[in-house]
Amino acid sequence: EGLPHVIEKLEADIAAIHRAMTDPSFFKRPGEQIAADQEKLNEMEVKLAKAYTRWEELESVFTEGPS
């Protein structure tokens, strides 16, 4: 699994949770389930931010070349 695949999967998973949260029935579920999904969303967003940061680091290494 390369970094592009990881980023793509995280973006898809985040989008799926966002779509679920737009459904009014989402917030009719038990509070523990809602909180768990919100925590999962937060964790995925942090992972995505780290993946993008890593992508930028790698990109700068390859575009700058050896020193």
Side-chain angles (χ1 to χ4, degrees):
E1 246 177 65
L3 193 55
H5 178 73
V6 170
I7 290 171
E8 185 177 311
K9 176 144 178 39
L10 284 167
E11 288 177 336
D13 291 346
I14 289 169
I17 291 178
H18 279 236
R19 278 191 305 278
M21 288 179 164
T22 63
D23 187 330
S25 66
F26 179 86
F27 292 100
K28 293 180 182 176
R29 300 178 315 143
E32 300 83 27
Q33 289 179 355
I34 294 169
D37 282 347
Q38 289 173 327
E39 179 63 26
K40 183 177 177 181
L41 176 62
N42 289 337
E43 290 172 4
M44 286 191 292
E45 288 174 338
V46 168
K47 287 180 184 178
L48 181 61
K50 287 180 181 179
Y52 273 123
T53 298
R54 182 66 181 143
W55 181 272
E56 290 170 1
E57 290 169 354
L58 292 172
E59 189 174 61
S60 70
V61 168
F62 288 109
T63 58
E64 292 175 8
S67 299

